[in-house]
């Protein structure tokens, strides 16, 4: 079975001279994103440029600015442009490059899949640096062949997940300005910076001798799809490791916070449930009333069977108290309704008996009817006094209604 072909990876990142300080801080592992650095592995190894390349680059750029500024002032003086000359003297030197969002320099990254670097010639060897050395040799040669002395620095990072090479390109160019030749920074001076696809073709061919291949031709695939009227494939945006890790850390932090919030809610609900149960037990034992106040019967009991309910106004305690109040109110209303029904039934029975007494009394002599009427009025008054519905109504015993006379 043929071994898998791994692509060589080439990426450019725009770079401003002001970025050199941060670049060096990360090279020395003193700043930048260090979360992926393995301190147990060797530190980065310098491949091209002196140890003081950063200071040399900044000094050279500053010299370019001064030289161009001097040439501009001399040109204005030669043309007798006194006002412009005075104005430019006040403004001072300008950057020797055309402003752009990418900056005048380039940071270049060369690498391959970590599995390719892990390959060994013998199955008896668990780890070998031969692939790294092979890649490094080809990379340094490619950089020098295509960028020459404009490769002012290159290093190999050995302490990250996969071996890779960083290089800094300072694209020097000369343009005629102010009647003389002025040095500037101009990225397009290099064909492999100007044409990204050409750069990918170049590294693909250069590294093919060590078993690597060119990366996928995404831009060409997009152009072909558009020409054929097809939906073009998605061109994935490269995300720098630091940016990816920052997003991943944020995602994990948000997930952890969500889990913590859910756990806290569960604990709170458990506490509320405990408060409800404690309240219910105390009410059932007659130790407190439905308002949460100690019951009168509980004062005499020195050894209560249930623990006291939560004293503080927790959510569970408040919910239990509200629920028990509602239940007590419904039970009270139901008991009142049943009592009213029972009283009405008993009063109806009494009235029916009274009607029977009245019917029988009509058959008695006058003297006996008067005596029965007197006793009946007294008895009816006492009965009606027991009926709460009779409050405010006229007393039948005083009105003479139903008098057997």
């Amino acid at each position: 079975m043929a071994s898998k072909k791994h692509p060589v990876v080439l990426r450019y990142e725009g770079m401003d001279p002001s970025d050199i300080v941060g670049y060096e801080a990360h090279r020395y592992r003193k700043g930048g994103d260090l979360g992926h650095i393995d301190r147990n592995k060797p530190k980065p190894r310098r491949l091209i440029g002196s140890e003081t390349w950063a200071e040399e680059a900044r000094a050279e750029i500053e010299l370019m600015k001064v030289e161009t500024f001097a040439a501009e002032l001399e040109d204005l003086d030669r043309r007798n442009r006194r006002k412009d000359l005075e104005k430019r003297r006040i403004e001072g030197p300008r950057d020797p490059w055309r402003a752009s969002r990418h900056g005048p320099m380039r940071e270049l990254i060369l690498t391959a899949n970590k599995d390719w670097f892990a390959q060994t010639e013998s199955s008896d060897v668990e780890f070998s640096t031969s692939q790294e050395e092979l890649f490094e040799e080809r990379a340094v040669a490619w950089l020098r062949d295509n960028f020459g002395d404009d490769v002012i620095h290159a290093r190999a990072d050995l302490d990250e997940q996969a071996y890779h090479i960083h290089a800094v390109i300072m694209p020097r160019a000369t343009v005629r300005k102010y009647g003389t030749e002025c040095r500037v920074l101009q990225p397009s001076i290099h064909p492999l910076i100007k044409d990204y696809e050409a750069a990918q073709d170049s590294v693909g061919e250069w590294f093919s001798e060590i078993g690597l291949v060119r990366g996928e031709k995404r831009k060409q695939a997009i152009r072909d799809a558009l020409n054929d009227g097809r939906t073009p494939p998605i061109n994935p945006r490269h995300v720098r490791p630091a940016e990816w890790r920052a997003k991943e850390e944020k995602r994990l932090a948000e997930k952890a916070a969500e889990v913590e919030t859910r756990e806290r809610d569960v604990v709170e609900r458990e506490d509320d449930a405990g408060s409800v149960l404690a309240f219910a037990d105390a009410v059932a034992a007659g130790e407190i009333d439905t308002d949460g106040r100690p019951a009168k019967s509980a004062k005499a009991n020195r050894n209560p069977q249930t623990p006291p309910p939560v004293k503080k106004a927790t959510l569970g305690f408040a919910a239990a108290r509200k629920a028990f109040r509602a239940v007590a109110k419904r039970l009270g209303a139901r008991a009142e309704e049943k009592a009213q029904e029972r009283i009405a039934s008993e009063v109806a029975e009494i009235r029916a008996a009274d009607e029977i007494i009245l019917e029988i009394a009509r058959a008695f002599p006058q003297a006996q009817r008067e005596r029965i009427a007197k006793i009946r009025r007294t008895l009816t008054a006492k009965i009606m006094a027991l009926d709460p519905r009779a409050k405010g109504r006229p007393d039948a015993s005083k009105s003479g209604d139903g008098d057997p006379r």
Side-chain angles (χ1 to χ4, degrees):
M1 181 178 177
S3 60
K4 180 181 178 180
K5 292 291 185 179
H6 294 285
V8 59
V9 178
L10 166 66
R11 291 200 305 271
Y12 287 116
E13 295 286 347
M15 191 175 190
D16 190 271
S18 61
D19 297 330
I20 294 177
V21 175
Y23 179 94
E24 281 292 85
H26 185 64
R27 180 168 76 96
Y28 286 111
R29 303 315 193 218
K30 295 180 179 179
D33 179 27
L34 303 178
H36 60 295
I37 302 301
D38 188 345
R39 300 291 184 178
N40 297 319
K41 290 184 177 181
K43 293 183 179 180
R45 181 173 61 249
R46 184 163 44 87
L47 305 176
I48 298 176
S50 69
E51 187 63 28
T52 58
W53 73 272
E55 291 79 5
E56 294 169 5
R58 288 195 295 267
E60 184 177 351
I61 292 171
E62 192 63 29
L63 182 58
M64 289 181 185
K65 293 171 64 175
V66 173
E67 288 176 347
T68 303
F69 185 53
E72 182 182 5
L73 294 182
E74 185 178 346
D75 180 61
L76 291 172
D77 182 58
R78 186 173 55 251
R79 292 188 292 155
N80 202 26
R81 302 279 296 273
R82 298 303 173 189
K83 289 185 178 180
D84 293 337
L85 177 62
E86 186 62 27
K87 179 182 178 182
R88 286 297 295 118
R89 280 175 176 168
I90 295 173
E91 292 174 345
R94 292 171 177 164
D95 292 331
W97 62 81
R98 183 176 296 176
S100 68
R101 65 187 181 94
H102 296 295
M105 302 171 66
R106 292 293 183 273
E107 178 187 355
L108 182 150
I109 299 173
L110 275 170
T111 187
N113 189 283
K114 63 179 181 178
D115 293 338
W116 184 84
F117 289 107
Q119 293 177 3
T120 59
E121 295 180 357
S122 172
S123 59
D124 298 330
V125 180
E126 293 184 0
F127 177 76
S128 173
T129 60
S130 60
Q131 294 290 87
E132 295 178 1
E133 294 167 359
L134 201 60
F135 186 89
E136 187 174 296
E137 180 184 352
R138 300 298 297 172
V140 170
W142 182 81
L143 288 168
R144 292 193 185 281
D145 186 72
N146 289 281
F147 301 104
D149 292 338
D150 284 352
V151 185
I152 59 175
H153 166 79
R155 76 171 194 261
D157 280 359
L158 313 171
D159 54 357
E160 299 185 33
Q161 189 175 24
Y163 173 92
H164 57 279
I165 292 175
H166 288 266
V168 176
I169 313 298
M170 190 165 80
R172 304 175 179 94
T174 301
V175 297
R176 187 162 186 82
K177 296 173 65 175
Y178 313 121
T180 186
E181 297 294 327
C182 297
R183 295 190 299 160
V184 296
L185 297 182
Q186 185 177 320
S188 61
I189 196 69
H190 292 291
L192 298 190
I193 293 180
K194 186 177 181 180
D195 189 340
Y196 185 74
E197 290 296 317
Q200 297 295 334
D201 291 337
S202 176
V203 293
E205 181 180 354
W206 193 275
F207 283 85
S208 64
E209 295 183 11
I210 61 174
L212 293 170
V213 298
R214 187 202 192 280
E216 182 183 353
K217 295 183 178 182
R218 294 195 181 97
K219 289 189 176 180
Q220 185 61 47
I222 293 174
R223 286 194 293 267
D224 292 342
L226 292 174
N227 291 334
D228 297 341
R230 294 180 286 108
T231 301
I234 298 175
N235 189 18
R237 183 180 70 87
H238 168 66
V239 179
R240 301 197 67 168
E243 182 181 348
W244 179 86
R245 277 186 290 273
K247 290 182 178 179
E248 186 67 7
E249 289 174 1
K250 180 182 178 182
R251 183 186 69 81
L252 293 175
E254 290 175 347
K255 185 176 181 180
E258 183 181 349
V259 171
E260 183 180 351
T261 300
R262 287 202 299 267
E263 290 178 349
R264 187 167 57 249
D265 290 342
V266 169
V267 171
E268 290 178 356
R269 285 196 293 270
E270 289 177 348
D271 291 342
D272 290 341
S275 297
V276 170
L277 292 174
F279 190 99
D281 290 341
V283 171
E287 297 168 12
I288 61 173
D289 59 18
T290 56
D291 290 328
R293 293 188 295 267
K296 295 180 179 180
S297 59
K299 295 180 180 179
N301 187 3
R302 297 182 179 180
N303 297 311
Q305 298 298 317
T306 58
V310 181
K311 296 299 181 183
K312 62 181 180 180
T314 63
L315 181 62
F317 187 90
R321 183 171 57 190
K322 182 179 179 181
F324 272 82
R325 281 178 176 174
V327 170
K329 185 176 181 180
R330 286 197 296 272
L331 290 176
R334 192 175 301 170
E336 178 70 19
E337 181 180 348
K338 290 184 177 180
Q340 292 286 356
E341 292 175 355
R342 186 173 62 253
I343 291 172
S345 176
E346 292 173 353
V347 169
E349 291 179 1
I350 293 171
R351 288 187 180 277
D354 183 60
E355 292 295 333
I356 293 173
I357 294 172
L358 186 61
E359 184 68 25
I360 294 172
R362 288 194 179 97
F364 290 168
Q366 181 64 31
Q368 291 179 336
R369 286 203 305 271
E370 291 178 359
R371 183 182 176 189
I372 291 172
K374 183 177 180 181
I375 294 172
R376 177 175 165 273
R377 283 196 297 269
T378 302
L379 181 61
T380 302
K382 291 180 179 182
I383 292 173
M384 296 303 294
L386 297 176
D387 186 359
R389 300 173 301 170
K391 293 180 179 179
R393 296 192 307 206
D395 190 346
S397 63
K398 294 180 180 179
S399 64
D401 293 343
D403 193 327
R405 292 175 295 178

